[in-house]
């Protein structure tokens, strides 16, 4: 019989922290907290294997699961001394999700399960508190009806708000027992009226509750979150069933969320919030603004002051968990009549600056080695360090303030619904998402937005946690603002009115909302960043270069630690308005003489471009790709543009239009481009070679160290490369004779066609280096256009055909296998002496970098702002190779 359920409680557990793939992160850590002696409500975990079975077998459970679940409930009953479904002394449980990686708020939770019309009276009698019992019951009906039965939560929210209005109270805690009894009756009536009647049988509740959590794995919000964070859809979630402990049982009860260090800055201080007489959902959902754990300058009553003994105990737990896990911890707790219970711990989501600071300081504190510190920072987050801030010299009119939930500056136009944020982003607009509070359903809009503003919620609310994880600036819990969804406007206490489409700016580090679009400046790298990246560079094997063809990009690349230019796309240099007409003249020329005349005009532009790059990269290699794109990309398409071009070239409109039409290709990405241009029009290759080598000679004469590398694109055979290389070498000899000086240069081939990868051993005979163009290689291997397959890939990822977008993270099973084969073939021919790089944007994707390091690639190249990411990913790959993990 398969084991589907793992129990924990009373200091013992059948699982441990190493079993997160089977038990999920939450279940594994609940087991581990038991093992280290922390107070954890007993329970059991239904494994991720059940989730897999559930979806592979028509949303049904394994035949023996129910028996094991009943055994798990009996285990809780023995430890708690209460019985599930017993009218006199009822056991209540929570049912919560727990994937192997944290997905905050994306999946469903059910609390207070086991309550019905009989057990609520037993709970009231046992607790001697009727108000507490019926508060728990109304919460359960509301949550169960929404999460499990699919009822609209607004129906219940409306009834609750109406009751509070009638009773003249702002908070739920102002409602008396009789009010809550009336709400319970109203909630049951609402469910019955809409055909979603609340069940009274606790075992039916539990069965459906577990199913709802598994079902939430495939909701739109969870799928969107997995897509954003590249989490495979076939991992599934576990379900954790635990004895309920109650933070809503009186004023000596509370619930809260805390971090062992500040998740925004990394400062080593206990950081968190709590709510008296509440349940955990109240804190996470931002329904009430919570109070601080530690005494601060806000004037709000802290736990340190209100419950000093419990605060001291929680502080000790903080230290114990951080030392045990050797990482910053994100913890959830409940206090029931001044007794502390730990409900969860996990490695805390944090900003990249915080992650770096925590890692560096933990090395100083002796908690981590440098290798461990390198593995603690998520490489994909690292570009947050380079995020812009608001220009301090620019005028700023602060119209409201809130909590500094996620640092960074964001500027955009106000929108009030997540769907609108996605739609506006799709048409090229920058937006700020403004919400009363965010919910997991808003995840797509949060991802689309430049920043997030909420009127409610604390530093540990959904908006704050998710925004920090995304690196999105966020101001949460602003009591200065009111939001009207119907009219799509925001009003501030200062009298400002912001309507949909109006420009706003936010400073997530200061918690400020600012009128209008404030200019931004580049982020500053800290001393901790410099120390950390020094460790990174000492550790990595893989060289990191940048894709750059402008002086600005080249300078940024050097600032971010690039070790050269791995790809300069020469076609990008011709789109400037001052050059495009001469380029078009070359394309439309009727013969070689006409092309050479046009190329002579382009030569000075190209030469200066290359001189700029060589001067900035003094002493570092610069790989220059010969002209690659289809020629039609340079041509105008409207009649007015064609007439303007005809005037500029001194040609008739009819001739220009006819010639332009003749160049049209049905499938231009597979047409007349790359080395095919150099084969058919060698004079283009001659001009570019002359520009490269004359620029290199001039820079050399000025005392610069120049390492030029000429890359031939879209090669499919050795013969093609030989033809183009002959043109390059002949032109080089002519230049050296003319100038009376020489310079070393390399000629390499891009490997971006399956044929080139299969014939890499032959192609290697004629070149000094390979540059894998993984963007085109992925397209041609998969037979998919990266520009036209967005919706297809969404469906494929949802169905588990691809774990990640293969154009963002390399398809290891297919594309990766061919790259690895080509690397081996090339090295075999050259005896290991061929230099091999990757110059597609996969070079800046951490998972792809791990793969490239494993197969022995020498360098990766990516956009300048992703260079630090690639450097860290390369170091992490080296640590993984060393440790075998």
């Amino acid at each position: 019989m398969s084991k589907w359920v793992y129990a924990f409680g009373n200091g013992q557990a059948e699982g441990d922290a190493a079993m997160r793939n089977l038990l999920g992160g939450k279940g594994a850590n609940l087991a581990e907290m038991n093992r280290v002696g922390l107070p954890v409500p007993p329970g059991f975990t239904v494994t991720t294997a059940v989730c897999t079975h559930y979806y592979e077998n028509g949303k049904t459970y394994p035949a023996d699961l129910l028996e094991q679940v009943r055994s798990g409930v009996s285990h809780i009953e023995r430890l708690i001394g209460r019985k599930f479904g017993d009218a006199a002394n009822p056991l209540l449980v929570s049912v919560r999700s727990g994937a192997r990686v944290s997905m905050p708020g994306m999946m469903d939770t059910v609390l207070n399960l086991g309550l019905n019309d009989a057990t609520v009276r037993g709970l009231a009698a046992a607790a001697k508190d009727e108000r507490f019992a019926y508060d728990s019951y109304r919460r359960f009906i509301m949550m169960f009806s929404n999460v499990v039965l699919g009822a609209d939560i607004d129906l219940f929210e409306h009834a609750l708000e109406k009751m509070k209005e009638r009773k003249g109270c702002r908070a739920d805690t102002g409602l008396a027992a009789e009010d809550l009894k009336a709400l319970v009756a109203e909630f049951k009536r609402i469910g019955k009226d809409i055909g979603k009647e609340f069940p009274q049988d606790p075992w039916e509740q539990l069965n459906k509750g577990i199913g709802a959590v598994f079902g939430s794995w495939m909701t739109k919000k969870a799928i969107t979150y997995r897509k954003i964070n590249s989490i495979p859809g076939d991992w599934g979630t576990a379900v954790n069933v635990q004895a309920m402990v109650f933070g809503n049982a009186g004023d000596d009860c509370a619930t809260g969320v805390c971090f062992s260090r500040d998740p925004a800055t990394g400062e080593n201080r206990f950081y968190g919030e709590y709510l008296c007489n509440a349940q955990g959902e109240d804190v996470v959902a931002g329904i009430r603004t919570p109070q601080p754990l530690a005494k601060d300058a806000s004037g709000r009553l802290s736990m340190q002051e209100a419950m000093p003994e419990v605060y001291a105990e929680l502080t000790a737990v903080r230290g114990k968990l951080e030392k045990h896990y050797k990482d910053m911890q994100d913890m959830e707790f409940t206090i029931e009549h001044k007794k502390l219970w730990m409900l969860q711990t996990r490695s805390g989501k944090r900003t990249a600056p915080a992650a770096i600071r925590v890692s560096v300081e933990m090395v100083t504190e002796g908690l981590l080695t440098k290798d461990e510190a390198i593995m603690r920072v998520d490489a994909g987050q690292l570009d947050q360090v380079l995020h812009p801030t608001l220009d301090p010299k620019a005028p700023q009119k602060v119209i409201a303030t809130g909590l500094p939930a996620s640092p960074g500056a964001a500027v955009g136009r106000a929108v009030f619904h997540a769907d609108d944020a996605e739609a506006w982003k799709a048409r090229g607009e920058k937006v700020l998402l403004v919400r009363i509070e965010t919910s997991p359903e808003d995840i797509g809009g949060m991802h689309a937005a430049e920043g997030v503003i909420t009127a409610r919620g604390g530093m540990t609310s959904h908006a704050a946690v998710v925004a920090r994880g995304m690196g999105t600036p966020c101001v949460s819990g602003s009591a200065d603002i009111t939001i009207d969804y119907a009219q799509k406007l925001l009003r501030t206490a200062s009298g400002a009115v912001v309507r949909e489409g109006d420009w706003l700016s936010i400073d997530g580090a200061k918690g400020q909302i600012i009128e209008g679009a404030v200019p931004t400046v580049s982020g500053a790298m800290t001393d901790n960043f410099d120390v950390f990246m020094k460790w990174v560079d000492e550790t990595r094997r893989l060289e990191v270069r940048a894709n750059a063809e402008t002086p600005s990009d080249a300078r940024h690349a050097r600032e971010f630690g690039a070790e050269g230019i791995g790809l300069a796309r020469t076609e990008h240099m011709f789109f400037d308005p001052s050059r495009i007409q001469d380029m078009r003249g070359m394309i439309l020329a009727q013969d070689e003489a006409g092309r050479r005349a046009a190329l002579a005009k382009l030569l000075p532009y190209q030469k200066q471009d290359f001189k700029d790059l060589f001067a900035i990269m003094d002493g570092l290699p610069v790989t220059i790709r010969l002209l690659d794109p289809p020629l039609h990309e340079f041509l105008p398409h409207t009649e007015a543009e064609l007439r303007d071009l005809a005037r500029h070239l001194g040609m008739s409109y009819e001739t220009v239009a006819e010639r332009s039409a003749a160049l049209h290709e049905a499938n231009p990405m597979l047409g007349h481009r790359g080395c095919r241009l150099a084969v058919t029009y060698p004079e283009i290759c001659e001009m570019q070679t002359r520009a490269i080598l004359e620029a290199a000679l001039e820079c050399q004469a000025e005392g610069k160290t120049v390492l030029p590398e000429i890359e031939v694109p879209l090669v499919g055979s050795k013969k093609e490369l030989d033809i183009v290389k002959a043109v390059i070498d002949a032109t080089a000899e002519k230049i050296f004779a003319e100038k009376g000086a020489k310079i070393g240069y390399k000629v390499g081939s891009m490997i971006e066609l399956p044929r080139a990868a299969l014939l890499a051993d032959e192609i290697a005979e004629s070149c000094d280096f390979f540059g894998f163009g993984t963007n085109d290689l992925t397209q041609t291997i998969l037979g998919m256009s990266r520009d036209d397959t967005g919706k297809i890939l969404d469906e494929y990822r949802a169905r588990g055909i691809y774990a990640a977008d293969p154009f963002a993270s390399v398809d290891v099973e297919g594309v990766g296998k061919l790259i690895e084969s080509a690397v081996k073939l090339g090295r075999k021919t050259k005896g290991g002496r061929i230099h091999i790089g990757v110059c597609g944007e996969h070079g800046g994707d951490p998972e792809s970098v791990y793969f490239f390091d494993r197969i022995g690639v020498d360098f990766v190249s990516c956009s300048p702002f992703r260079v630090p990411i690639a450097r860290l990913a390369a170091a992490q790959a080296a640590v993984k190779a060393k440790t075998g993990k």
Side-chain angles (χ1 to χ4, degrees):
M1 185 174 69
S2 297
K3 185 170 178 59
W4 306 112
V5 169
Y6 287 73
F8 57 83
N10 201 27
Q12 298 180 349
E14 293 180 321
D16 58 39
M19 298 172 66
R20 68 170 42 246
N21 288 0
L22 182 66
L23 302 181
K26 187 176 295 177
N29 286 331
L30 286 169
E32 191 73 7
M33 283 198 293
N34 266 278
R35 288 175 174 270
V36 298
L38 295 183
V40 177
F44 59 88
T45 300
V46 183
T47 69
T48 58
V50 177
C51 189
T52 301
H53 183 284
Y54 181 80
Y55 283 106
E56 289 180 351
N57 294 274
K59 297 186 178 180
T60 60
Y61 298 137
D64 51 348
L65 175 66
L66 185 56
E67 178 186 344
Q68 293 187 36
V69 166
R70 285 184 176 271
S71 176
V73 171
S74 296
H75 159 78
I76 301 173
E77 290 173 337
R78 285 193 299 273
L79 294 181
I80 291 292
R82 300 176 190 148
K83 192 167 181 61
F84 190 61
D86 182 56
N89 190 24
L91 167 69
L92 306 185
V93 297
S94 64
V95 180
R96 303 201 296 171
S97 63
R100 67 172 77 174
V101 295
S102 176
M103 294 172 57
M106 294 303 113
M107 288 175 292
D108 289 332
T109 293
V110 183
L111 304 180
N112 306 299
L113 191 144
L115 280 173
N116 59 24
D117 292 346
T119 58
V120 69
R121 293 191 292 273
L123 180 66
K128 298 178 182 177
D129 188 339
E130 197 172 43
R131 189 209 170 276
F132 149 68
Y134 280 91
D135 179 56
S136 300
Y137 196 18
R138 68 92 185 167
R139 288 171 180 271
F140 176 46
I141 297 173
M142 187 174 183
M143 186 176 280
F144 191 92
S145 298
N146 174 238
V147 168
V148 180
L149 303 179
D152 185 351
I153 192 70
D154 289 344
L155 297 173
F156 302 91
E157 290 277 11
H158 180 72
L160 175 60
E161 291 302 316
K162 284 290 186 185
M163 175 65 76
K164 289 194 292 186
E165 283 179 22
R166 286 198 301 272
K167 296 299 177 177
C169 57
R170 296 182 61 185
D172 304 356
T173 49
L175 296 177
E178 292 306 314
D179 303 326
L180 294 166
K181 285 181 182 179
L183 266 180
V184 165
E186 175 71 1
F187 284 1
K188 288 194 290 184
R189 185 195 61 75
I190 290 171
K192 191 170 185 179
D193 287 350
I194 61 173
K196 298 183 184 295
E197 190 166 359
F198 172 77
Q200 291 287 315
D201 179 4
W203 288 103
E204 181 185 352
Q205 295 170 2
L206 181 58
N207 185 48
K208 288 183 174 178
I210 292 172
V213 174
F214 284 138
S216 68
W217 178 253
M218 283 299 180
T219 57
K220 180 182 176 182
K221 63 185 178 183
I223 291 169
T224 300
Y225 188 90
R226 291 200 296 274
K227 175 184 172 183
I228 293 168
N229 293 281
S230 297
I231 298 170
D234 59 0
W235 278 5
T237 182
V239 176
N240 299 286
V241 178
Q242 262 182 296
M244 279 295 300
V245 288
F246 300 98
N248 63 320
D251 291 337
D252 61 349
C253 303
T255 187
V257 177
C258 56
F259 294 81
S260 60
R261 304 193 186 209
D262 188 324
T265 67
E267 181 185 353
N268 189 0
R269 70 181 182 95
F270 200 12
Y271 174 99
E273 298 168 320
Y274 80 111
L275 276 173
C276 274
N277 202 10
Q279 290 197 339
E281 292 301 294
D282 299 343
V283 179
V284 175
I287 293 169
R288 288 161 57 191
T289 299
Q291 297 158 268
L293 284 186
K295 184 178 179 180
D296 61 18
S298 69
R300 292 176 295 158
L301 183 65
S302 68
M303 180 190 287
Q304 188 176 12
E305 297 164 292
M307 300 180 178
E309 298 87 357
V310 181
Y311 177 78
E313 187 182 354
L314 187 59
T315 302
V317 169
R318 165 212 182 193
K320 189 170 188 175
L321 284 174
E322 189 170 87
K323 190 171 290 186
H324 181 76
Y325 283 98
K326 296 183 178 182
D327 198 4
M328 184 193 95
Q329 293 299 291
D330 169 1
M331 298 158 278
E332 294 181 16
F333 64 89
T334 285
I335 300 163
E336 184 179 83
H337 302 308
K338 294 193 175 181
K339 176 173 174 52
L340 176 67
W341 292 98
M342 299 306 299
L343 304 183
Q344 176 171 298
T345 193
R346 60 189 175 194
S347 292
K349 290 188 179 295
R350 66 207 87 174
T351 65
I356 291 167
R357 178 173 178 176
V358 168
S359 294
V360 171
E361 291 185 356
M362 282 189 169
V363 171
T364 304
E365 294 162 17
L367 281 176
L368 297 177
T369 66
K370 289 179 183 178
D371 281 357
E372 289 171 332
I374 285 169
M375 299 305 293
R376 286 289 187 270
V377 179
D378 180 353
Q381 278 190 307
L382 209 56
D383 60 348
Q384 290 178 31
V385 179
L386 313 171
H387 274 185
T389 57
L390 296 178
D391 185 349
K393 298 176 183 177
Q396 299 180 22
K397 182 181 178 182
V398 177
I399 57 174
T401 60
L403 299 173
S406 184
V411 180
R413 302 175 69 184
V415 296
F416 293 86
H417 298 283
D419 290 345
D420 292 336
E422 293 185 74
W424 285 48
K425 173 70 178 291
R427 62 176 189 250
E429 298 278 6
K430 290 187 175 183
V431 299
L432 293 184
L433 179 62
V434 183
R435 301 287 289 163
I436 296 172
E437 73 234 6
T438 63
S439 71
E441 281 73 19
D442 295 326
I443 182 68
M446 294 179 71
H447 183 59
E450 305 295 312
V452 178
I453 297 169
T454 68
R456 295 204 298 238
M459 298 289 281
T460 52
S461 65
H462 175 268
V465 171
V466 173
R468 280 197 297 271
M470 290 179 170
T472 299
C474 175
V475 175
S476 68
S478 174
D480 294 346
I481 64 175
T482 55
I483 295 167
D484 186 328
Y485 287 148
Q487 296 188 55
K488 295 185 177 180
L489 60 80
L490 172 156
R491 290 188 177 88
T492 74
S494 62
V497 176
V498 178
R499 301 183 184 278
E500 183 180 57
D502 289 349
W503 285 91
L504 279 178
S505 304
I506 61 172
D507 186 330
K510 296 179 180 177
Q512 293 178 336
I513 303 169
I514 300 155
E515 189 174 72
V518 178
T520 59
V521 293
S522 297
M525 290 174 275
T526 64
D527 291 342
N528 281 327
F529 180 84
D530 293 338
V531 169
F532 183 77
M533 295 309 291
K534 183 173 181 288
W535 297 345
V536 161
D537 292 336
E538 290 169 352
T539 303
R540 65 184 167 90
R541 176 198 67 82
L542 203 61
E543 182 185 333
V544 178
R545 301 186 190 179
N547 300 342
E549 46 275 331
T550 67
S552 174
D553 281 349
R555 279 190 286 269
H556 277 128
R558 289 215 71 157
E559 289 170 8
F560 298 148
E563 297 164 291
I565 291 176
L567 178 65
R569 295 155 288 202
T570 55
E571 59 274 4
H572 288 198
M573 299 169 172
F574 294 116
F575 286 109
D576 186 279
S578 65
R579 306 179 182 191
I580 189 70
Q581 299 292 50
D582 290 333
M583 184 64 177
R584 289 167 172 170
M586 187 275 291
I587 295 168
L588 295 174
Q590 302 279 6
D591 52 29
E592 181 182 335
R595 279 191 296 276
R596 287 191 180 276
L599 288 166
K601 295 179 183 178
L602 295 172
L603 176 62
Y605 300 144
Q606 282 271 270
K607 191 163 114 176
Q608 187 58 52
D609 290 335
F610 299 141
K611 279 193 71 175
D612 291 341
L613 295 183
F614 291 145
I616 293 167
M617 288 291 157
D618 184 13
L620 298 177
V622 177
T623 305
I624 297 168
R625 184 178 73 186
L626 299 180
L627 196 64
D628 183 39
L631 293 180
H632 84 283
E633 286 193 4
F634 292 101
L635 296 178
H637 301 290
T638 67
E639 181 180 339
E641 290 173 330
L642 287 168
R643 290 190 182 279
D644 183 56
L645 178 58
R647 283 192 296 272
H648 177 81
L649 298 177
M651 300 169 66
S652 70
Y653 164 75
E654 290 73 20
T655 300
V656 170
E658 182 181 326
R659 180 75 176 131
S660 180
L663 287 168
H664 173 77
E665 294 179 296
N667 196 345
M669 292 309 294
L670 299 178
H672 196 190
R673 54 172 288 214
C675 69
R676 298 162 192 171
L677 289 171
V679 170
T680 54
Y681 302 141
E683 54 273 17
I684 297 177
C685 179
E686 289 175 21
M687 183 278 285
Q688 291 199 293
T689 301
R690 180 171 289 277
I692 293 166
L693 296 180
E694 285 188 1
L697 287 169
E698 290 179 19
C699 281
Q700 182 175 258
E702 295 167 4
K704 305 290 185 185
T705 301
V706 186
L707 303 172
E709 300 180 350
I710 302 173
E711 188 168 55
V712 183
L714 214 72
V715 168
S717 69
K718 178 179 181 297
K719 185 64 175 175
E720 276 178 315
L721 181 60
D722 286 341
I723 291 170
V724 179
K725 188 173 185 296
V727 175
I728 294 169
D729 290 341
T731 305
E733 289 304 314
K734 189 182 296 185
I735 294 167
F736 297 158
E738 292 169 2
K739 304 296 182 182
K742 288 191 173 186
I743 192 167
Y745 65 93
K746 294 179 179 180
V747 177
S749 169
M750 288 202 78
I751 306 294
E752 50 191 332
L753 295 176
R755 193 173 197 274
L758 293 168
L759 300 177
D761 50 348
E762 295 180 15
I763 293 171
E765 294 173 6
S766 298
C767 62
D768 302 306
F769 66 91
F770 283 165
F772 282 93
T774 54
N775 299 340
D776 273 339
L777 190 59
T778 298
Q779 288 192 112
T780 50
I781 290 176
L782 300 185
M784 279 188 175
S785 165
R786 58 180 163 165
D787 299 319
D788 302 315
T789 52
K791 290 182 179 178
I792 297 171
L793 286 173
D794 284 350
E795 184 67 21
Y796 270 43
R797 291 178 65 190
R799 290 173 175 262
I801 298 171
Y802 294 122
D805 180 347
F807 294 106
S809 190
V810 72
D811 166 35
V812 172
E813 294 177 349
V815 178
K817 186 177 289 186
L818 199 54
I819 293 173
E820 185 173 10
S821 170
V823 168
K824 290 176 181 176
L825 288 172
R827 290 251 158 83
K828 183 179 178 182
T829 295
K830 287 285 183 131
R833 293 189 305 278
I834 189 168
H835 204 59
I836 297 177
V838 172
C839 51
E841 272 303 300
H842 288 115
D845 168 63
E847 290 299 322
S848 302
V849 171
Y850 303 152
F851 170 71
F852 297 138
D853 182 81
R854 180 171 64 78
I855 66 173
V857 165
D858 297 303
F859 74 87
V860 293
S861 188
C862 56
S863 60
F865 278 87
R866 293 191 73 79
V867 165
I869 294 173
R871 288 163 63 196
L872 176 53
Q876 291 176 338
V879 172
K880 287 180 178 180
K882 188 194 306 183
T883 60
K885 294 181 180 177

